Amino acid sequence: MTKHQQILTFIEDLAIGSKVSVRFIAKALDVSEGTAYRAIKEAEAKGLVRSIPKVGTIRIEGVKERQIEDLTLREVSQIAEGVVICGFEHLDRSPHKFVIASMELDAMGRYLEENALCIVGNRHNAQILALEHNASLLITGGLEPDEDVVALARQRELVIIQSPYDTFAVTSMINRALYDRLIQKELILVEDIMVKDVKYLNVDATVEDWRNLSQSTDHSRFPVVDNDMNLVGIVTAVDVAGEDLKTPIKDVMNGNPFMVGRDDPVTHISRIMVWEGWEIAVVADQGKLIGIISLQDVIEAYQQVQKQPQFGETVDNLVLSGFRFVDDSEHLSIEGEITNAMVDDYGSASCGVIVTVMNMAGYIGLRKKYRLNAITENFTLYQLQPIPVGTEITVTAKLLLVAKKHCNIEVEVTVENEIVAKGLMTARIGDKKLVNESSSLI
């Protein structure tokens, strides 16, 4: 480890709130002041320390992965044009909830919780109660907190912000900031939710190495990379079951993991993971491992998206949400019910919904059943009968032809084995195929 890295590690291990100076680092680690200065500047860029006027450089909490609507206390202070009374080193925290102290003390206690932000006027008892629940304070009306309030906040390492505006104005300003942030937020991308600190195995590892890593991390799925961090596969507990400890990982790993890019939208990735049964997706940049996401990460992202009315499920996901796989050894089949959300003005399944279901069945069939990565170029619907709401339908995708760059899929919709819709889907095969020889499929 270089001296520069040693300094960064030393700073990371310091207690939150500790003062950091060039002279202190140089003396503690026996390095030059120039080396210490450069390392402190990098630590500030990484969010490990912050320079505060009239206070100095302070070790702060690292900025954690932020949720979609999170505001830090620093941002709240700026929004409310506030003055920070104490807790400078904790301004990068994000309050879990906002509580307006406009009720009796007994009722307030039910709403206060740790890491909340209490918006309060000149109610001394309410201020003390909030601090006792480990909630920071935003004091409105430009009022100065009493000395005992400030002392308690410092003792509990909490933040007090003083705003010149009244409670209603401050609340309106925060609400407006949250609304502006939501309407400007783009769709959630893989990069927003992926785990960057990935535990992995080298291609030269053995099953014994997998076992040791699994025991130390409590995980069972690991990407496999070469010496240049190029992704070459993924290995799971199923892959190594019953294998000798000396068996090379490359002999048992899955050489065709589900690989995604950092800029892929989560809604698209989630659909593939759910329909194809992937529990882990490996994130790569030009073939090199940079992260990993699990189905649990995707579910948590969806839970966050549901808090935003302007973002949510895609149309495809909403249409297919009630469909399920049918056990069909020959073709890809799904079945589901025509719901009220799928019908037209006449009470029958709309043409657009039927085409969406048929097209998605063809797409899923290409990937899951026939292991082909393809994009729809043309879809022709040449038979359609009215399908009343509440009808159970079965959609079957049949691969007809695979050429070098294109493939044809016939898609049928049946009700009690009677064909009610039929279409032909033409798709362009992508550069990356999920099988070595597509011709072996037909």
Side-chain angles (χ1 to χ4, degrees):
M1 184 181 295
T2 65
K3 288 184 178 180
H4 189 80
Q5 292 171 325
Q6 289 176 1
I7 297 173
L8 290 176
T9 302
F10 178 78
I11 293 174
E12 280 190 81
D13 292 337
L14 291 175
I16 302 299
S18 301
K19 286 193 174 183
V20 181
S21 68
V22 171
R23 184 174 298 177
F24 167 69
I25 295 295
K27 183 178 180 180
L29 297 180
D30 192 22
V31 297
S32 68
E33 292 190 357
T35 301
Y37 175 80
R38 289 190 293 273
I40 290 174
K41 284 300 180 183
E42 182 173 340
E44 187 171 6
K46 290 178 175 290
L48 299 175
V49 300
R50 184 178 295 278
S51 296
I52 301 173
K54 299 182 181 181
V55 176
T57 302
I58 302 294
R59 172 73 171 94
I60 63 173
E61 292 177 315
V63 179
K64 300 177 181 177
E65 295 294 329
R66 299 180 59 181
Q67 302 296 321
I68 301 305
E69 307 129 325
D70 282 353
L71 290 174
T72 64
L73 292 173
R74 185 183 309 279
E75 290 171 321
V76 171
S77 174
Q78 294 169 349
I79 292 166
E81 299 180 16
V83 175
V84 179
I85 305 298
C86 65
F88 295 93
E89 64 273 21
H90 304 303
L91 288 176
D92 287 311
R93 292 176 180 172
S94 292
H96 291 175
K97 65 187 294 188
F98 295 89
V99 178
I100 300 175
S102 60
M103 59 195 83
E104 297 294 334
L105 292 182
D106 292 342
M108 272 186 61
R110 296 198 297 268
Y111 296 95
L112 291 168
E113 62 180 45
E114 187 173 357
N115 290 328
L117 178 63
C118 181
I119 303 174
V120 60
N122 60 341
R123 298 179 61 195
H124 180 272
N125 290 341
Q127 295 172 4
I128 293 293
L129 181 64
L131 294 174
E132 289 175 344
H133 283 78
N134 291 319
S136 294
L137 296 179
L138 174 53
I139 301 177
T140 59
L143 302 168
E144 293 280 347
D146 293 340
E147 291 183 2
D148 61 333
V149 173
V150 177
L152 181 58
R154 286 175 174 159
Q155 176 188 341
R156 292 178 173 260
E157 299 183 342
L158 298 170
V159 177
I160 297 180
I161 302 169
Q162 177 197 52
S163 173
Y165 298 100
D166 61 39
T167 300
F168 178 80
V170 167
T171 304
S172 300
M173 294 162 78
I174 293 174
N175 280 336
R176 180 66 189 179
L178 287 170
Y179 175 77
D180 289 344
R181 169 166 296 194
L182 288 177
I183 64 175
Q184 293 172 2
K185 178 64 184 177
E186 298 178 352
L187 289 175
I188 302 177
L189 304 180
V190 167
E191 186 176 30
D192 297 329
I193 68 171
M194 72 181 187
V195 176
K196 299 175 183 177
D197 183 19
V198 185
K199 304 301 181 183
Y200 58 86
L201 289 168
N202 189 273
V203 70
D204 298 324
T206 64
V207 171
E208 185 176 15
D209 295 323
W210 173 90
R211 176 172 294 182
N212 293 335
L213 186 58
S214 179
Q215 291 176 346
S216 64
T217 62
D218 290 330
H219 296 302
S220 62
R221 302 176 178 87
F222 303 104
V224 182
V225 299
D226 61 18
N227 294 330
D228 296 323
M229 292 300 292
N230 292 308
L231 182 68
V232 296
I234 191 167
V235 62
T236 70
V238 176
D239 299 324
V240 303
E243 297 290 342
D244 186 86
L245 293 179
K246 301 302 180 184
T247 301
I249 283 294
K250 61 184 178 182
D251 291 347
V252 298
M253 70 180 186
N254 177 2
N256 186 30
F258 179 35
M259 186 165 59
V260 300
R262 65 165 79 233
D263 296 326
D264 289 341
V266 171
T267 49
H268 172 66
I269 298 305
S270 67
R271 181 172 62 229
I272 298 175
M273 294 183 77
V274 170
W275 282 97
E276 297 197 19
W278 292 105
E279 294 189 10
I280 292 289
V282 185
V283 189
D285 184 7
Q286 297 183 348
K288 296 186 182 295
L289 174 68
I290 60 171
I292 195 167
I293 62 172
S294 66
L295 193 55
Q296 183 62 35
D297 297 328
V298 172
I299 292 172
E300 291 176 358
Y302 269 143
Q303 291 172 342
Q304 186 63 38
V305 168
Q306 288 169 1
K307 299 178 184 178
Q308 308 171 69
Q310 71 277 19
F311 295 119
E313 297 273 23
T314 63
V315 172
D316 290 349
N317 283 345
L318 288 172
V319 171
L320 290 170
S321 61
F323 282 76
R324 55 198 176 276
F325 282 112
V326 178
D327 187 12
D328 187 338
S329 60
E330 187 175 359
H331 304 294
L332 186 284
S333 295
I334 60 175
E335 64 181 17
E337 181 182 346
I338 300 299
T339 64
N340 289 321
M342 301 179 181
V343 299
D344 55 22
D345 293 340
Y346 301 100
S348 299
S350 72
C351 181
V353 165
I354 293 300
V355 170
T356 298
V357 174
M358 295 172 72
N359 180 71
M360 287 307 302
Y363 170 79
I364 296 166
L366 287 173
R367 291 189 62 93
K368 185 176 181 67
K369 189 74 176 181
Y370 304 115
R371 312 307 297 168
L372 291 174
N373 190 16
I375 301 172
T376 304
E377 281 194 332
N378 182 54
F379 192 96
T380 303
L381 182 67
Y382 51 86
Q383 179 182 345
L384 177 62
Q385 298 179 14
I387 308 174
V389 64
T391 303
E392 282 278 342
I393 64 173
T394 301
V395 187
T396 302
K398 303 176 181 179
L399 186 63
L400 298 180
L401 173 68
V402 175
K404 185 175 181 180
K405 288 293 183 180
H406 293 81
C407 58
N408 293 337
I409 308 97
E410 184 181 62
V411 186
E412 294 180 347
V413 180
T414 59
V415 176
E416 297 180 350
N417 296 322
E418 179 182 348
I419 296 177
V420 295
K422 202 167 187 177
L424 181 65
M425 172 181 171
T426 302
R428 184 177 76 251
I429 299 175
D431 294 334
K432 178 186 174 184
K433 296 185 181 181
L434 303 180
V435 291
N436 293 328
E437 295 293 339
S438 59
S439 59
S440 63
L441 296 172
I442 56 175

